[in-house]
Amino acid sequence: MIALSLIGIGTGNPDHLTRAAEAAMRAADLILLPRKRAETAELLDLRAAICAAVVGDAARTATFDVPGRDPALPYLDGVDAWHGAIAAAWREAIARHLPGGGRVALLVWGDPSLYDSSLRIAARLDAGAIPVMVEVVPGITSLQALAAAHAIPLTALGAPLLVTTGRRLATEGWPGDIEMVAVMLDSGCAFEQLDPAGTTIWWGAYLGMAQQSLLAGPLAATAPAIRDERTLLRARHGWIMDCYLLRRDAARADASDR
């Protein structure tokens, strides 16, 4: 039996770890650390530093290479094939480093519940010879970190919040009469395709980390600055993780679906 702990570790700041996350890390017989392309080595280093800070010399870690997604395939087909390849990489790493079974931990950026596929990938592990029991330890999401960094609420008074992706915002536009929209996984600055009138944006990258960057203001004036900052930061670090919150004036939001 493999007991797999998916541990939300927040957005790169060790102070984001909960006591439950620390306990799960210490209880693990093996902590798997994903290794992606060379320019994202800092992400591997951050996970290794968190392990060292929490578990110390007793930490037993192993790295594995994360397969890339085939951009030639249709998006959903490509993601499905990619998840299958990642599950195979997990299965192979576990079999190599923990052949007798035991407790395995994966450190998940943010929280496994929000635009993260760790749970979907974990569900594929039972296709192997060893049964897998999955435990989730929640963590701080980037949206929580964004709201805290800007000292703002995620919701207007008595109003809903819609969480979506940059891909959907670009293709579908502003979602109906929603006043507050949180956007994640936006590599193309989809906010630039919106009519900016009456809209405010709060943006953040590397939230909670030493290189955190924040911008906020009316969308018309702030959008170019965000694009320039994203370009600069990606060139400097080789990777970027960011998200943003959009608020449209209530009167404008009410009229948007007419």
Side-chain angles (χ1 to χ4, degrees):
M1 169 70 73
I2 294 294
L4 174 64
S5 295
L6 301 176
I7 304 173
I9 60 170
T11 58
N13 186 337
D15 290 342
H16 287 181
L17 292 176
T18 65
R19 291 183 180 179
E22 293 179 350
M25 290 176 64
R26 293 190 182 104
D29 300 307
L30 176 69
I31 301 176
L32 289 179
L33 304 178
R35 181 172 51 215
K36 299 184 179 180
R37 57 190 188 277
E39 59 267 31
T40 65
E42 186 177 15
L43 296 175
L44 173 61
D45 294 341
L46 282 166
R47 283 184 168 94
I50 288 173
C51 289
V54 173
V55 189
D57 295 338
R60 183 184 175 192
T61 63
T63 59
F64 68 96
D65 291 320
V66 178
R69 179 171 64 85
D70 185 353
L73 293 174
Y75 178 71
L76 291 180
D77 293 339
V79 169
D80 182 68
W82 182 42
H83 287 175
I86 295 174
W90 288 9
R91 196 180 298 118
E92 191 277 333
I94 292 169
R96 182 195 313 165
H97 297 286
L98 207 63
R103 301 187 65 86
V104 180
L106 278 157
L107 307 184
V108 177
W109 217 257
D111 181 86
S113 69
L114 186 60
Y115 285 120
D116 180 85
S117 292
S118 298
L119 280 164
R120 284 182 282 271
I121 295 167
R124 299 181 180 223
L125 292 179
D126 273 332
I130 301 176
V132 178
M133 180 179 65
V134 177
E135 169 198 36
V136 176
V137 181
I140 292 174
T141 69
S142 58
L143 292 183
Q144 291 169 286
L146 176 72
H150 284 286
I152 57 170
L154 280 174
T155 56
L157 187 62
L161 169 72
L162 183 118
V163 182
T164 189
T165 65
R167 181 186 299 272
R168 295 195 67 137
L169 187 69
T171 58
E172 300 172 10
W174 193 275
D177 61 353
I178 297 293
E179 182 179 345
M180 304 282 284
V181 179
V183 184
M184 305 179 70
L185 306 177
D186 183 5
S187 62
C189 295
F191 51 80
E192 291 182 320
Q193 300 184 40
L194 301 173
D195 178 354
T199 301
T200 302
I201 186 169
W202 292 267
W203 172 86
Y206 312 102
L207 290 158
M209 302 172 66
Q211 61 267 50
Q212 175 176 283
S213 179
L214 303 172
L215 287 168
L219 182 58
T222 312
I226 293 174
R227 175 172 282 280
D228 290 345
E229 182 74 352
R230 289 187 90 259
T231 301
L232 175 67
L233 292 171
R234 182 184 286 279
R236 179 182 300 163
H237 299 290
W239 62 279
I240 189 168
M241 289 186 183
D242 63 336
C243 62
Y244 53 92
L245 181 70
L246 296 165
R247 184 181 69 197
R248 180 168 280 183
D249 292 345
R252 177 75 196 280
D254 289 341
S256 65
D257 65 334
R258 296 176 186 171

